[in-house]
Amino acid sequence: MTDWTWEYNPSEEHVAGGLAPGVVAEIERMATELATLGVDAAKVGRPLDRGGGLREFDILGGRGFISFLAVARHHCVYVCNIAWYG
C-alpha cells in the first residue's frame, strides 16, 4: 500500500462532467488502483516504449480511455481526460 492519492485535473466537472454515473464509478475505481501502484503507475498504459509523461489506459473493454499523469513528487495520480465512445 502506498501513500499516493488521485485527483481530477483540473476538476471533476471539467474532466468527468456529463458522463454516466457507472462510467465515473469505474474511472474512480481505476484511479484508486493506479494510486495504489504508486510510482509504478508511470509505467501503466500507453505509450509502451517509455515510462512517465501523460499516459493512456483503456476503460470498459475499449469503449473509451483515460489520460493520466503519475507525479512522484506529489504522490498523486491526476486524471486529466476521459474519452468515452459509449
Side-chain angles (χ1 to χ4, degrees), residues 26-65:
E26 177 64 9
I27 289 163
E28 292 180 354
R29 183 193 66 77
M30 290 178 63
T32 300
E33 290 185 13
L34 289 167
T36 301
L37 289 174
V39 72
D40 290 331
K43 301 174 189 169
V44 173
R46 295 179 299 267
L48 301 174
D49 59 341
R50 61 183 164 77
L54 190 64
R55 313 293 298 171
E56 291 181 351
F57 194 80
D58 289 338
I59 57 173
L60 295 167
R63 296 190 314 192
F65 66 88

Side-chain angles (χ1 to χ4, degrees), residues 6 10 17 22-23 28 33 35 39 41 46 50-53 63 65 67-70 74 76-77 80-81 85:
W6 72 271
V23 175
E28 292 180 354
E33 290 185 13
V39 72
R46 295 179 299 267
R50 61 183 164 77
R63 296 190 314 192
F65 66 88
S67 299
F68 65 93
L69 287 168
H74 295 173
C76 191
V77 171
C80 303
N81 186 47
Y85 309 123

